[in-house]
Amino acid sequence: MHRLLTMKRLSILFLSAFAVLMGGMFAYESLVIAPGDRCEAGGKWWDPQDRVCAQPISIAEITGRPNPGERAAASAEKNRELVAIEDSLAAQQKARDADADRQRAALAAQ
């Protein structure tokens, strides 16, 4: 009596299924997982949904705002600019007031 699944055929079937599964596992590792690991090892960000390796960008580069370490220096610089603007406005107001007083004095003298 001839049987379809003999021990030899079962062992060949098992080994071929095992080889296909192992090949699939190695292909998945090299095509799906390894690119993400290589990207993250290079200090970049891996997006698994779009499979994109992206360079991280500092928010300061986008907005033009200073980095947190430079915040105090940038604030002091802005304060110096504001004080200079206030001083120039005060000087202009003083000059206008002096000119108005001079014109009043000239009108009163007539």
Side-chain angles (χ1 to χ4, degrees):
M1 183 179 211
H2 292 288
R3 292 193 169 174
L4 180 64
L5 296 176
T6 62
M7 187 56 106
K8 184 177 181 183
R9 286 182 182 167
L10 279 175
S11 63
I12 291 173
L13 182 64
F14 173 76
L15 289 176
S16 61
F18 180 75
V20 167
L21 289 175
M22 289 300 292
M25 184 186 72
F26 284 120
Y28 180 78
E29 167 69 28
S30 65
L31 297 174
V32 176
I33 296 175
D37 292 342
R38 283 193 304 268
C39 179
E40 290 174 356
K44 297 181 180 178
W45 291 339
W46 176 250
D47 180 16
Q49 183 177 3
D50 297 330
R51 300 186 48 78
V52 174
C53 184
Q55 175 69 35
I57 300 173
S58 170
I59 195 72
E61 294 176 23
I62 297 170
T63 62
R65 295 175 69 185
N67 287 327
E70 304 166 355
R71 210 171 201 160
S75 179
E77 177 64 31
K78 285 291 183 186
N79 287 338
R80 282 192 292 276
E81 289 177 19
L82 288 174
V83 167
I85 291 170
E86 288 174 352
D87 289 344
S88 68
L89 288 174
Q92 290 173 2
Q93 183 66 34
K94 189 175 180 181
R96 273 196 304 268
D97 290 345
D99 188 41
D101 289 342
R102 185 188 53 79
Q103 290 176 3
R104 279 190 203 106
L107 285 174
Q110 288 179 355

